[in-house]
Amino acid sequence: MDKQTLPVIDMSDNETGCCPRFHPDDWDEKVFTLDHLKFAVASTKSLFHIPLNMGKVMQTAMSAITNAGAENKDRYLILSKEQSSWRADHHFLVDKDVPEMKMVDLPGNYLTKVYEGPYKDEPKWMKSFNDYANEQGYTLDDIYAFYTTCPKCAKHYGKNYVVLFGKIH
């Protein structure tokens, strides 16, 4: 597979005033390079993998990113990774450093696969994603989830798309 840059997301294709409409074909079964991209990190508390303070953390992070003038205007990406049953880290794509947030790079090439359905299906998606990667000749390291819309917007659009990103080697 050819390496690609992240797709542009049309923020004006937005009926909800919250999350833009997601176009899965732009993301499904691709390899993206994340070299030279910056991510600001925020963490949520969880109880057995169920986020407890997601709304507040997202609001605080987005406020810090906006105040720093660090929003990426045409590419929207938040990569989430569970660190334990009690915590998840969320990596926000930004254009420059955000002083109030931890900054990281996620260099490398990432295989993607789009899934649709309820969040409770994520363990099945992870297995399917690993099987797909193996069929393509890849071994996955870190796996992140891109939750493309909030629950309210997913209900409005009638689809709950999640893109799994797996670092390949």
Side-chain angles (χ1 to χ4, degrees):
M1 291 183 182
D2 293 331
K3 291 183 259 178
Q4 301 180 19
T5 58
L6 293 174
V8 170
I9 292 182
D10 181 2
M11 298 304 276
S12 69
D13 185 5
N14 185 335
E15 298 171 1
T16 63
C18 183
C19 301
R21 183 179 311 277
F22 182 73
H23 299 280
D25 292 343
D26 296 340
W27 297 82
D28 194 31
E29 298 182 357
K30 311 280 190 212
V31 174
F32 296 109
T33 183
L34 300 185
D35 293 343
H36 312 296
L37 298 179
K38 290 181 178 234
F39 292 87
V41 181
S43 298
T44 52
K45 294 177 183 172
S46 303
L47 179 63
F48 298 110
H49 305 285
I50 298 170
L52 299 176
N53 60 341
M54 181 74 84
K56 180 171 177 28
V57 169
M58 292 293 155
Q59 186 177 30
T60 301
M62 293 306 295
S63 179
I65 291 166
T66 300
N67 290 342
E71 314 99 309
N72 191 300
K73 302 294 187 219
D74 61 355
R75 288 183 173 78
Y76 171 79
L77 182 64
I78 303 171
L79 295 176
S80 299
K81 182 176 182 185
E82 288 192 348
Q83 300 299 331
S84 71
S85 300
W86 316 109
R87 189 183 108 223
D89 289 340
H90 308 281
H91 302 76
F92 297 77
L93 177 64
V94 293
D95 281 344
K96 64 182 186 178
D97 288 354
V98 179
E100 297 88 28
M101 297 177 73
K102 175 183 173 186
M103 300 300 300
V104 299
D105 297 320
L106 298 174
N109 298 315
Y110 291 78
L111 180 67
T112 63
K113 185 133 179 66
V114 176
Y115 294 89
E116 196 282 321
Y119 296 120
K120 69 179 178 69
D121 288 347
E122 195 163 329
K124 289 188 264 184
W125 299 340
M126 290 288 190
K127 181 179 180 340
S128 167
F129 187 42
N130 272 299
D131 291 346
Y132 170 71
N134 290 336
E135 290 166 8
Q136 302 303 309
Y138 296 118
T139 301
L140 298 177
D141 282 337
D142 294 328
I143 298 177
Y144 298 85
F146 172 29
Y147 302 103
T148 63
T149 53
C150 71
K152 280 202 284 190
C153 291
K155 184 175 182 177
H156 173 84
Y157 293 125
K159 298 283 185 182
N160 183 42
Y161 291 113
V162 176
V163 184
L164 295 183
F165 274 70
K167 188 170 184 178
I168 57 176
H169 61 270

